[in-house]
Amino acid sequence: MDLHVTHAWYLVLGALLFTLGAVGVVVRRNPLVMLMCVELMLNAVNLTFVTFSRMLGDVGGQTIVFFVLVVAAAEVVVGLGITVALLRRLPGATADDVSYLRG
Amino acid sequence: MVELVTFAIAGLVVLGGAVGVITSRNPVHAALSLVATLFGIAVLFIAQEAHLLAAVQVIVYTGAIVVLILFVIMLLGIDRMEDVMSEPLRGQRALAALLGVGLLGCSGLLVWLADGDADRFVTGARAATAALDQDEANIAQVGRSLFTDYVFAFELTAALLTIAVIGAVVLAKRPTDLAPLPERPVDPAAAADDEEVAG
Amino acid sequence: MEELIWLIPALPLAGALLLVVAGRRLGEPVAGLVATGATLGSFALALGMFANLVSLDEHERILTQRLFTWVPAGSFSVDMGFLLDPLAMTMVLFVTGVGALIHIYSIGYMHGDPRFHQFFLYLNLFVASMLLLVLGDNMLLTFLGWEGVGACSYLLISFWFEEEANASAGKKAFVTNRIGDWGFMVAMFFTFTTFGTLQYAEVLTGASSLAETTATAIALLLFVGAVGKSAQIPLFIWLPDAMAGPTPVSALIHAATMVTAGVFLMVRTSPILVEAADWVPTTIATVGALTALVAATIAVAQNDIKKVLAYSTVSQLGYMFLAVGTGAYVAAIFHMVTHAFFKALLFLGSGSVIHGMGDEQDMRRMGGLRRFMPVTAVTFIIGWLAIAGVPPLAGFWSKDEILLGAWEESPVLWAMGLLTALLTAFYMSRQVFLTFFGEPRWSLEGDGDAAVDPAAGMPGDELPEPKPAGFHPHESPWSMTMPLVVLAFLAVVAGGLNLPFSKDLHFLESWLEPSLFGNGHHSTAEGSEKVALAVVAIAAGLAGIAGAAVLYLKRRGRPATVEAAVLRRGWYIDSSVTWFMGGPGRAAFDAVAWFDRTVIDGAVNGVGAAVRLVGTGVRPMQSGYVRTYALTLGLGALAVLVLVLSRVAI
């Protein structure tokens, strides 16, 4: 079988991963698991960027991934800080319990 | 041939890990599945000759971020089982399914239409950045790009990290004066769910 | 001298403001003196202006002053400016002059009234408004004064508002005037659309370029305004009711000044009237003649001393409009001036009678007052002779001019005018004979035959209670009789303003020439024709006096034959208007109010209700659940993706 791994394959994989991450964010209630699903989405995006970088022969794609990595790290830090602050006051809370801004 | 095998294995690992994250009832299991996904992604980076990124991915993501998440899981003791079967919000699951199908469909369509031709995806002008050179080391290229073309953004991310650290410290501080919590809007389904999680 | 024009309306206005602030503290009689002083000041200034105008060359007799821009609204700009030409000068002179006399009279008449200062405040405000009306150099300023006098007339007519009837009379006057004001306003809109400005200087000089339909519309609408203000058919119904106000009010507003504003307006805008279709002046003349005749017939059967004079005023105003309609503008102004003198005299005299009779107003309870109130009687008789058209008093000359103009227009109009003259003489003589001659009737009992109680033979509403046995009417104080004397003098000599004997004696005509822009009817009658007409008019007057003498002096014949009930009830015009407004009118108003409440308010409130409904429906979206928000975000991103795809890929 002369199957060639084209760039499209990577892109499809990235799309799949992104979809899984998006659905996970929406469906799960545990705040930390939601955060992990966000990480899934970010990784999908990173994969896509790197693929494009190779497709277009441009190193900018990889540079962007670098920045995404940094920002993801900062985001996780802050997200965990919020979770800690929240769960200290409301032990055992899920995302649904923080609905004080209900209209 | 090699690339095909690599892709197949790494792809399976990635997807398996992702499914594990979104379906695990135990958050610790979810974290471990995430590690698997991240490793798979790193392998795929190497397959695409983004060596620096693969290394950074393993070190930063797997080595720091997931560890941090695990720390917090253990610290707060929220490693209890979550009831993934019930869904208190009406229509959430259905719409989530719609979202999933939609996203997949659109991206798939896009890829299929483009037929592997990169130029069909690109709608804007090309950036005037350095081209990828097959001969030079990847780390050198990325490094040069970072410190010449994108040096301003680089500095900004440094500032961002500093701010994030300060923010985390402030958020996690044990507060001295605690105002009482406002009356929680009572949702019967959520109340039932609370009991489930607490019990 | 021009820089002082603004002082003429400003002085009474300042007087009014001073009385607003300090009137109660000033009290009687200082408040009255302040008000009188302000009006006299205006009069003195007016005399000065008059001297100035006279010294100027005939064709340059216009003084203008522009104070400031009152309404700067883009292309539409109205100034607070004054135009003092001969016509305005005439008006200013007699408004301030007669006004000052009435102020002096009021000091005596309103003596002891708890709201003395308030009366003079309103009087000054009224004079200020009237002067603004007359001096304004553009239609909007005239309208401002127009509305001002309307408002002040409301305040003054219902001065004794503690009585329900007085308050209603004030409201009636105001509302009826408002109907006329609508006409004035629409005329102003037309004028602005046609000329782009409301300044008289431009509108009147540019009137010759008006299309006939436009001029007709403007002239007719201005006439509607005049009909309301000057109490012509069908909007005269407010004037007789307005007698509920104190007598000086009736004298000032309803004899000398406010009601003449309509005539002034028509003469001021005569260039537009000339450009209108021919049937417009004819309509004006016919309405005037008809009003004169109908009002005269009603006056014949009135028993209230003031109501007779009220209907007489309506009738005389009809004469003025008859003159305007036949193009005899000078005659209209002439009659306006003479009428101001003798009607004010008659009203003030009647006030003196009422005062002396202890507030009795029914003539059937008077009689023989000339022995008790000599000064009042003599001046009243002079006024009577003047209005009856007995030469050489003023009324004869001015009425004759009008009848001459009517004759040259149409014999029918002349006949109506002549008949009115006869009736005028009749009812005025009736009034004089009943009041000042014959035997005193104030103490007689009601029953009994006519020979014993002459009052019983006269039809009418219930006879007022008789006065106690020792009652004696007394002459009024000098503050009230002095103005009577002055006015009587003026009523005698005012005819000299425009004697018909030769061109040189036409002082008023040559004086008013510049204001009329060459319009104005010039008589083409032969000298002999004029003499014949004058003789006929004198004969009619004498016949009227004789008829009244027979019925009321000699007591022969039954007054009831002449004083028909339909006349006393004013041809039931007023009652039919009341019935209409109360019945079908009320139903229409209720329908309009319902529409306003349900449809218009409903629409506005409905918008609010709809917004609230939408808000309540949309609010559940803010569930507070983060996951719902995330889902919405995702679905939105999906939608955008689909949109982009549809554009780019396909």
Side-chain angles (χ1 to χ4, degrees):
Chain A
M1 188 166 60
D2 194 26
L3 217 55
H4 221 48
V5 177
T6 57
H7 296 126
W9 290 35
Y10 287 99
L11 293 173
V12 170
L13 179 64
L16 212 51
L17 188 60
F18 186 85
T19 310
L20 285 169
V23 170
V25 168
V26 169
V27 169
R28 296 302 298 261
R29 285 195 293 283
N30 189 318
L32 287 164
V33 176
M34 287 171 80
L35 201 59
M36 288 188 243
C37 295
V38 171
E39 294 307 317
L40 283 180
M41 290 203 289
L42 284 168
N43 273 283
V45 166
N46 286 349
L47 185 61
T48 313
F49 266 124
V50 167
T51 313
F52 271 116
S53 156
R54 201 151 81 109
M55 274 166 78
L56 297 170
D58 189 342
V59 80
Q62 296 187 19
T63 322
I64 288 184
V65 172
F66 193 86
F67 286 125
V68 171
L69 229 51
V70 169
V71 174
E75 167 222 336
V76 165
V77 161
V78 173
L80 287 175
I82 292 174
T83 311
V84 164
L86 178 70
L87 283 167
R88 199 186 284 134
R89 286 278 249 139
L90 299 168
T94 63
D96 287 346
D97 295 325
V98 214
S99 55
Y100 288 107
L101 287 183
R102 172 189 222 90
Chain B
M1 190 63 201
V2 175
E3 199 177 350
L4 180 62
V5 171
T6 319
F7 180 80
I9 296 173
L12 276 170
V13 169
V14 164
L15 289 175
V19 170
V21 168
I22 71 174
T23 54
S24 296
R25 292 173 61 199
N26 191 325
V28 177
H29 293 171
L32 294 174
S33 306
L34 185 63
V35 171
T37 305
L38 294 172
F39 262 124
I41 294 285
V43 169
L44 287 172
F45 278 171
I46 293 181
Q48 304 224 19
E49 285 163 33
H51 309 293
L52 173 65
L53 286 176
V56 172
Q57 166 97 347
V58 172
I59 295 171
V60 172
Y61 248 119
T62 357
I65 289 176
V66 178
V67 170
L68 202 57
I69 290 178
L70 275 169
F71 262 140
V72 173
I73 290 175
M74 291 309 172
L75 174 70
L76 294 176
I78 50 175
D79 56 336
R80 292 181 190 83
M81 305 300 187
E82 182 185 330
D83 182 8
V84 287
M85 283 303 112
S86 79
E87 170 60 74
L89 297 177
R90 257 199 340 247
Q92 187 85 348
R93 293 265 166 103
L95 284 172
L98 173 69
L99 180 66
V101 167
L103 275 175
L104 205 54
C106 286
S107 334
L109 188 71
L110 202 57
V111 173
W112 176 67
L113 281 174
D115 230 8
D117 181 9
D119 280 325
R120 282 214 62 176
F121 287 112
V122 177
T123 51
R126 293 219 180 172
T129 44
L132 256 180
D133 191 353
Q134 295 298 94
D135 299 328
E136 203 183 345
N138 175 261
I139 183 170
Q141 286 179 57
V142 175
R144 190 182 309 119
S145 165
L146 263 181
F147 284 99
T148 50
D149 292 323
Y150 298 107
V151 67
F152 186 57
F154 184 71
E155 301 296 335
L156 276 179
T157 50
L160 177 68
L161 283 172
T162 316
I163 294 169
V165 166
I166 296 172
V169 167
V170 167
L171 280 169
K173 234 166 62 103
R174 203 169 283 278
T176 44
D177 52 344
L178 275 180
L181 284 172
E183 256 308 307
R184 275 225 289 216
V186 177
D187 191 59
D193 190 60
D194 254 359
E195 276 172 25
E196 184 72 40
V197 173
Chain C
M1 203 69 196
E2 299 174 312
E3 321 84 54
L4 298 177
I5 298 182
W6 68 278
L7 272 180
I8 296 183
L11 278 176
L13 189 62
L17 287 172
L18 179 62
L19 287 174
V20 164
V21 172
R24 196 184 297 277
R25 224 170 318 132
L26 290 174
E28 187 181 335
V30 179
L33 291 173
V34 166
T36 313
T39 319
L40 275 175
S42 287
F43 181 61
L45 272 169
L47 283 176
M49 296 286 169
F50 178 63
N52 193 7
L53 276 184
V54 163
S55 69
L56 289 173
D57 181 56
E58 198 177 272
H59 298 286
E60 291 170 23
R61 285 199 182 134
I62 296 185
L63 294 177
T64 55
Q65 182 184 28
R66 207 187 133 268
L67 282 182
F68 54 86
T69 309
W70 178 30
V71 181
S75 59
F76 174 62
S77 169
V78 175
D79 295 337
M80 179 73 70
F82 302 120
L83 173 69
L84 193 58
D85 65 347
L87 176 63
M89 187 79 253
T90 318
M91 302 287 302
V92 168
L93 275 174
F94 85 75
V95 164
T96 48
V98 176
L101 285 171
I102 292 175
H103 275 77
I104 297 173
Y105 180 93
S106 304
I107 299 180
Y109 191 81
M110 300 301 287
H111 169 69
D113 194 290
R115 286 181 290 126
F116 183 87
H117 64 281
Q118 214 174 35
F119 186 75
F120 284 94
L121 175 127
Y122 295 152
L123 273 189
N124 257 14
L125 200 58
F126 176 89
V127 171
S129 303
M130 188 72 198
L131 288 169
L132 262 183
L133 193 161
V134 164
L135 282 172
D137 72 348
N138 57 74
M139 288 174 85
L140 194 61
L141 209 49
T142 305
F143 190 66
L144 175 69
W146 188 275
E147 294 291 330
V149 297
C152 289
S153 79
Y154 163 75
L155 290 167
L156 283 165
I157 292 171
S158 48
F159 187 71
W160 290 318
F161 56 81
E162 295 85 2
E163 284 289 318
E164 165 86 47
N166 300 343
S168 300
K171 273 185 287 184
K172 189 170 180 175
F174 195 78
V175 171
T176 320
N177 265 209
R178 214 75 190 101
I179 300 174
D181 294 346
W182 167 85
F184 195 149
M185 275 193 276
V186 180
M188 276 200 294
F189 299 155
F190 270 124
T191 313
F192 177 65
T193 12
T194 317
F195 290 100
T197 170
L198 292 175
Q199 299 276 113
Y200 286 128
E202 281 147 53
V203 168
L204 297 180
T205 45
S208 45
S209 63
L210 270 180
E212 190 177 287
T213 35
T214 321
T216 308
I218 297 178
L220 262 183
L221 288 163
L222 285 173
F223 180 58
V224 169
V227 162
K229 193 64 91 185
S230 298
Q232 299 297 291
I233 288 177
L235 296 175
F236 68 92
I237 47 178
W238 63 271
L239 209 152
D241 279 26
M243 295 301 112
T247 312
V249 168
S250 311
L252 181 63
I253 293 181
H254 310 119
T257 45
M258 180 173 113
V259 294
T260 55
V263 181
F264 166 75
L265 184 69
M266 298 310 301
V267 174
R268 169 64 93 205
T269 56
S270 55
I272 300 178
L273 187 57
V274 162
E275 294 299 321
D278 280 337
W279 54 267
V280 174
T282 314
T283 312
I284 297 178
T286 317
V287 168
L290 203 62
T291 309
L293 188 55
V294 167
T297 56
I298 301 175
V300 163
Q302 299 300 313
N303 286 323
D304 184 315
I305 193 173
K306 283 174 73 174
K307 283 256 174 26
V308 175
L309 295 175
Y311 283 108
S312 169
T313 304
V314 175
S315 176
Q316 298 298 308
L317 286 167
Y319 266 127
M320 293 181 218
F321 278 99
L322 171 61
V324 167
T326 55
Y329 304 117
V330 177
I333 301 292
F334 189 18
H335 198 63
M336 186 199 293
V337 174
T338 58
H339 175 261
F341 296 145
F342 58 67
K343 191 47 67 63
L345 167 63
L346 289 169
F347 264 115
L348 294 182
S350 72
S352 173
V353 167
I354 295 169
H355 177 87
M357 283 290 293
D359 292 332
E360 176 61 68
Q361 292 188 220
D362 196 317
M363 291 191 293
R364 296 171 292 172
R365 278 275 172 230
M366 297 178 186
L369 283 177
R370 70 181 191 284
R371 288 192 285 279
F372 299 91
M373 309 172 73
V375 180
T376 307
V378 167
T379 52
F380 201 92
I381 285 169
I382 292 177
W384 160 54
L385 291 175
I387 194 173
V390 171
L393 274 66
F396 165 69
W397 305 108
S398 55
K399 199 179 297 190
D400 198 50
E401 289 261 345
I402 297 177
L403 288 174
L404 179 63
W407 171 254
E408 297 191 356
E409 174 79 15
S410 140
V412 174
L413 289 175
W414 174 83
M416 287 166 82
L418 188 68
L419 187 56
T420 310
L422 192 154
L423 287 171
T424 308
F426 179 80
Y427 67 69
M428 285 309 299
S429 315
R430 170 177 175 269
Q431 182 176 41
V432 169
F433 296 150
L434 281 178
T435 312
F436 293 104
F437 292 85
E439 291 303 316
R441 292 186 298 279
W442 52 77
S443 296
L444 295 176
E445 294 304 323
D447 291 339
D449 69 0
V452 173
D453 174 18
M458 287 185 284
D461 297 325
E462 195 177 315
L463 206 58
E465 284 301 310
K467 297 283 182 193
F471 176 78
H472 278 301
H474 59 277
E475 181 62 272
S476 302
W478 71 270
S479 63
M480 286 168 69
T481 51
M482 187 273 278
L484 293 178
V485 170
V486 173
L487 285 170
F489 171 73
L490 286 169
V492 169
V493 304
L497 276 176
N498 208 33
L499 290 170
F501 298 121
S502 92
K503 265 288 183 227
D504 298 325
L505 293 173
H506 281 188
F507 295 122
L508 193 62
E509 187 168 327
S510 51
W511 167 252
L512 285 177
E513 194 75 45
S515 294
L516 296 175
F517 295 89
N519 302 318
H521 163 96
H522 295 286
S523 173
T524 52
E526 290 270 324
S528 55
E529 211 175 334
K530 285 202 246 187
V531 171
L533 286 171
V535 167
V536 172
I538 298 175
L542 291 175
I545 298 177
V550 164
L551 272 177
Y552 299 102
L553 206 55
K554 300 292 177 217
R555 311 231 126 252
R556 241 168 277 166
R558 299 188 331 121
T561 44
V562 176
E563 298 178 25
V566 66
L567 293 182
R568 187 167 44 258
R569 300 275 174 248
W571 298 93
Y572 299 108
I573 295 178
D574 191 21
S575 35
S576 41
V577 169
T578 312
W579 167 84
F580 176 74
M581 285 302 166
R586 170 119 243 162
F589 303 148
D590 283 341
V592 171
W594 171 89
F595 182 79
D596 178 56
R597 220 180 16 253
T598 313
V599 175
I600 298 179
D601 282 358
V604 173
N605 292 339
V607 168
V611 169
R612 200 180 313 126
L613 212 68
V614 166
T616 316
V618 169
R619 210 205 299 142
M621 267 175 58
Q622 293 293 312
S623 57
Y625 292 126
V626 181
R627 296 199 292 134
T628 317
Y629 298 160
L631 183 62
T632 319
L633 257 175
L635 286 173
L638 181 62
V640 172
L641 188 59
V642 169
L643 191 72
V644 169
L645 258 183
S646 66
R647 282 170 177 281
V648 167
I650 309 161

